[in-house]
Each structure stands twice: as C-alpha cells, then as structure tokens.
C-alpha cells in the first residue's frame, strides 16, 4: 500500500525540469489516524481522456484512473484502474503537461473535498484503509463540491488484472440516476475553467 510504493514510481515517470507538476517530497508516511481525509478528482485530457480519483491515505494520494468519471447512478459500475501513488501537493495541480512528457495533456481540479472510510467487516466493525483495500471492498463517504455521499470501490479479480477496480455509487440520498455531473458540471472547482479553457490559456 502507501509504504511499498512511496512515490518512487511517481518520480520515475516524470522529468521535473519539463513538467510543471509538483515534485514529490517524501511522503509523511504517517499512519492515517484522522477520519477526515482529502480526496480530489482531476479531469485529465490526455491521449485517452479520463478522471483521476485520488484519496489521501497515510501521507500520499492513492490514485485510480477512471475513464468515464464517477457516476451518481448506483446502477453504473465505473472502471477504475489503480495507478501510482501521487504526492499530496498534486491535489492542487491544474495546468498543461507538455507534449512528450508522461501524461501529456491538460489537468483540472474537477472536484475535491474530504472523505471518510466507513468500511466495515462482516461483523460490522470498522476497518482501516489497509484492511479495507486488502478486503477488496472499500466503502467511502465523500463530501465534495459536486459529489456527495457513499461510493464503493470494489476490487475486480476478473481476467487476473489486479489493477482493475469498480467504482459504484451507494443507494443513498445523494444517488441520482438523471444527474450526469461529468457532462453537466465540467468546470474546475479551483479556477472555474474547463479543460479546454485551461489548455487554451496555456497556448496564449
Ligand atoms: Mn491521469
């Protein structure tokens, strides 16, 4: 989990004299004790367009690339592919990653806020994130600007690919099959700009 990866692959993939993405200072590697952690969802218009879902765990952002973004419809299962841990500073990053660099394209802060891990075992006891991730079924409560309420992250063992998870909205007061925030709320919660506007202003 957080410690085994520890931002090494984040650094390896990037040339910090070329990209304006934050350098990864060493993770605090503190065991998470607070129940209120940050989450961020960054829209990333790269060679393939996706949304990066990141949750703060033990001093880093555990991260998944979600091709279609998160849905507020509990019947929609969205593929979420685990990617390398990101430094917490990354949560503020918005801008253009230059051509030829890893992840070349435009990034905006599509949503952010705090979350709580409310995963329980079969006996109804709370599990910490390590245990929840190992169990392969993480129950999260998000409080963002756009997204609120419960989501499940379910590890998919299909086809033996351990990187594949599914993200599914819980059936709660915030579930809404008609809302389609990925389409209807495209603006950054940081700058108010869309990816196209951020890409455009970088060219000026
Ligand atoms: Mn990405």
């Amino acid at each position: 989990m957080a410690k085994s990866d520890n931002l090494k692959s984040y650094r390896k993939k990037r040339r910090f004299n070329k990209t304006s993405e934050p350098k990864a200072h060493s993770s605090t590697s503190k065991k998470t004790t607070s129940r209120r952690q940050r989450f961020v969802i960054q829209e990333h218009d790269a060679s393939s367009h996706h949304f990066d879902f990141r949750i703060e765990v033990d001093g880093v952002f555990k991260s998944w690339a979600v091709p279609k973004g998160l849905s507020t419809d509990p019947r929609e299962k969205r593929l979420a592919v685990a990617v390398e841990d990101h430094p917490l500073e990354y949560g503020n990053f918005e801008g253009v990653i230059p051509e030829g660099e890893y992840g070349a394209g435009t990034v905006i802060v599509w949503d952010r806020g705090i979350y709580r891990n409310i995963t329980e075992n079969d006996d109804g006891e709370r599990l910490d994130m390590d245990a929840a991730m190992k169990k392969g079924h993480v129950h999260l409560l998000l409080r963002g600007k756009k997204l609120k309420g419960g989501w499940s992250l379910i590890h998919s063992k299909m086809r033996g690919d351990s990187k594949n998870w599914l993200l599914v909205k819980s059936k709660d007061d915030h579930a809404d099959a008609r809302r389609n925030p990925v389409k209807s709320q495209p603006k950054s919660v940081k700058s108010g700009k869309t990816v196209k506007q951020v890409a455009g202003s970088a060219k000026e």
Side-chain angles (χ1 to χ4, degrees):
M1 287 255 320
K3 270 171 207 145
S4 61
D5 187 355
N6 209 15
L7 303 176
K8 258 192 216 118
S9 50
Y10 175 87
R11 288 193 199 92
K12 239 194 233 162
K13 287 169 191 282
R14 289 169 176 84
R15 295 188 287 182
F16 294 104
N17 57 341
K18 297 275 203 291
T19 179
S20 57
E21 294 167 288
K23 272 184 205 131
H25 303 293
S26 56
S27 67
T28 59
S29 71
K30 265 188 201 136
K31 201 72 186 145
T32 293
T33 47
S34 164
R35 280 193 167 173
R36 287 151 55 97
Q37 309 294 316
R38 281 171 281 180
F39 86 90
V40 64
I41 300 169
Q42 284 161 311
E43 184 176 1
H44 189 179
D45 193 11
S47 57
S48 63
H49 177 260
H50 60 273
F51 291 77
D52 288 298
F53 179 58
R54 312 189 195 283
I55 58 175
E56 179 183 0
V57 181
D58 297 344
V60 296
F61 272 128
K62 302 303 290 178
S63 299
W64 289 262
V66 187
K68 290 183 175 174
L70 280 73
S71 174
T72 51
D73 182 350
R75 294 168 304 182
E76 285 267 337
K77 293 180 175 69
R78 294 283 162 93
L79 175 68
V81 182
V83 297
E84 77 275 17
D85 292 350
H86 279 53
L88 294 179
E89 303 98 289
Y90 206 93
N92 276 319
F93 177 71
E94 194 163 285
V96 175
I97 302 166
E99 222 38 68
E101 299 307 305
Y102 178 72
T106 310
V107 175
I108 63 165
V109 179
W110 184 82
D111 197 16
R112 65 180 164 192
I114 55 164
Y115 83 94
R116 282 196 302 146
N117 165 28
I118 54 166
T119 311
E120 295 180 344
N121 66 14
D122 295 339
D123 298 323
E125 296 159 340
R126 279 291 163 85
L127 294 180
D128 67 15
M129 278 302 281
D130 268 334
M133 298 271 290
K134 269 184 205 123
K135 176 176 136 107
H137 193 145
V138 185
H139 197 185
L140 304 170
L141 207 54
L142 304 185
R143 203 164 89 209
K145 287 244 168 70
K146 297 175 184 173
L147 302 185
K148 290 178 168 64
W151 262 269
S152 285
L153 249 176
I154 303 153
H155 199 189
S156 157
K157 278 147 186 139
M158 284 185 295
R159 288 165 304 216
D161 190 343
S162 60
K163 288 187 184 307
N164 287 358
W165 294 67
L166 295 171
L167 251 174
V168 190
K169 180 77 192 82
S170 307
K171 290 175 189 153
D172 59 21
D173 289 350
H174 298 284
D176 186 346
R178 287 162 305 179
R179 218 185 127 199
N180 185 3
V182 161
K183 287 272 172 340
S184 63
Q185 295 175 274
K187 289 177 182 166
S188 162
V189 295
K190 184 185 174 186
S191 64
K193 293 176 177 172
T194 62
V195 267
K196 289 225 159 56
Q197 288 168 331
V198 169
S201 55
K203 278 183 197 132
E204 279 160 19

